[in-house]
Amino acid sequence: MSAIDDLATELSKLPGIGRKTALRLTYYLLKQSKEQSRRLAESLLTLSDRVRPCERCFNLTEDTLCAICRDPRRDQSLVCVVEEPSDIGAIERAGEFRGVYHVLGGRLAPLDGIGPEHLTVVALLSRVASGDVHEVIVATNPSLEGEATAVYVQRELGRLSSNGGGSPLIVTRIARGLPVGGDLEYADGASIAQALAARRAM
Ligand SMILES: [Zn+2]
């Protein structure tokens, strides 16, 4: 029974999968052909082997730079800061944003032991200091932790003496059009486009 228990335990660690669903999936997989199971196992391995963070923005990619950073039509002077790579997907689906991104890799959560050292803030600062970034839009989630993270990012950016270019750096926050506590990831495209358009200086 331990092979069944092992897989059910691993599956139940996935978001939205309880113990019962994990067992149901495990029994379903048992009924599949060996070939099908091998394909699933191989794609899981390939995923962790190939996918890595973009060297510039920490979005997920199979190359050194992600497709957005490589795109010459994107405005490299406009950087949207998000918590997770999945937030990029949500903003891209809204279809309005023409700048580039910076993925923090989470949000400040002292109770869970997540401090600034766990986020990519230092990389953001050096990116802003060395490049021609004119505006940073802080698009962390409208939760308490997301707001605290936004304030932290803004304060750190404020300490930079220069953004590397001639003009001053503008730091903005997306508008509160999104439901409080709701994740950007689950917001609809129109709400995201509106929240971006109505952003305000911090
Ligand atoms: Zn990138």
Side-chain angles (χ1 to χ4, degrees):
M1 286 305 276
S2 112
I4 291 177
D5 272 345
D6 283 353
L7 182 57
T9 302
E10 290 310 312
L11 289 173
S12 63
K13 291 175 186 167
L14 299 172
I17 308 283
R19 183 79 195 166
K20 219 169 145 186
T21 308
L23 274 171
R24 195 158 54 81
L25 288 171
T26 302
Y27 285 114
Y28 174 81
L29 289 167
L30 268 176
K31 280 192 228 155
Q32 283 194 316
S33 68
K34 212 163 196 164
E35 178 51 34
Q36 188 67 36
S37 295
R38 187 163 38 236
R39 272 209 294 274
L40 177 63
E42 272 167 10
S43 31
L44 281 172
L45 287 174
T46 311
L47 190 71
S48 57
D49 281 347
R50 281 202 205 149
V51 180
R52 53 186 160 162
C54 168
E55 281 190 1
R56 191 177 296 160
C57 77
F58 299 91
N59 186 12
L60 294 175
T61 179
E62 294 188 17
D63 297 298
T64 311
L65 290 179
C66 74
I68 295 173
C69 285
R70 285 199 313 266
D71 187 344
R73 292 163 301 177
R74 308 291 297 223
D75 181 357
Q76 301 281 340
S77 76
L78 182 59
V79 176
C80 183
V81 175
V82 294
E83 293 179 17
E84 302 289 349
S86 52
D87 296 325
I88 293 183
I91 296 174
E92 287 297 292
R93 280 195 297 279
E96 297 282 328
F97 186 63
R98 286 281 146 258
V100 291
Y101 296 92
H102 188 92
V103 179
L104 292 173
R107 64 215 179 310
L108 294 179
L111 295 178
D112 300 328
I114 300 171
E117 70 277 16
H118 296 101
L119 306 180
T120 63
V121 179
V122 171
L124 172 66
L125 296 179
S126 57
R127 195 176 163 192
V128 171
S130 67
D132 56 348
V133 177
H134 293 136
E135 181 181 348
V136 172
I137 305 172
V138 187
T140 50
N141 286 312
S143 61
L144 278 178
E145 289 167 342
E147 293 297 346
T149 307
V151 169
Y152 176 78
V153 167
Q154 183 226 7
R155 208 177 50 215
E156 291 300 301
L157 285 168
R159 285 189 193 163
L160 287 178
S161 53
S162 158
N163 62 348
S167 54
L169 176 71
I170 304 165
V171 182
T172 54
R173 177 84 175 109
I174 52 165
R176 289 174 168 275
L178 300 169
V180 173
D183 276 5
L184 207 61
E185 195 184 342
Y186 304 114
D188 65 280
S191 303
I192 291 178
Q194 203 180 2
L196 271 170
R199 65 187 186 270
R200 289 184 309 263
M202 284 187 81

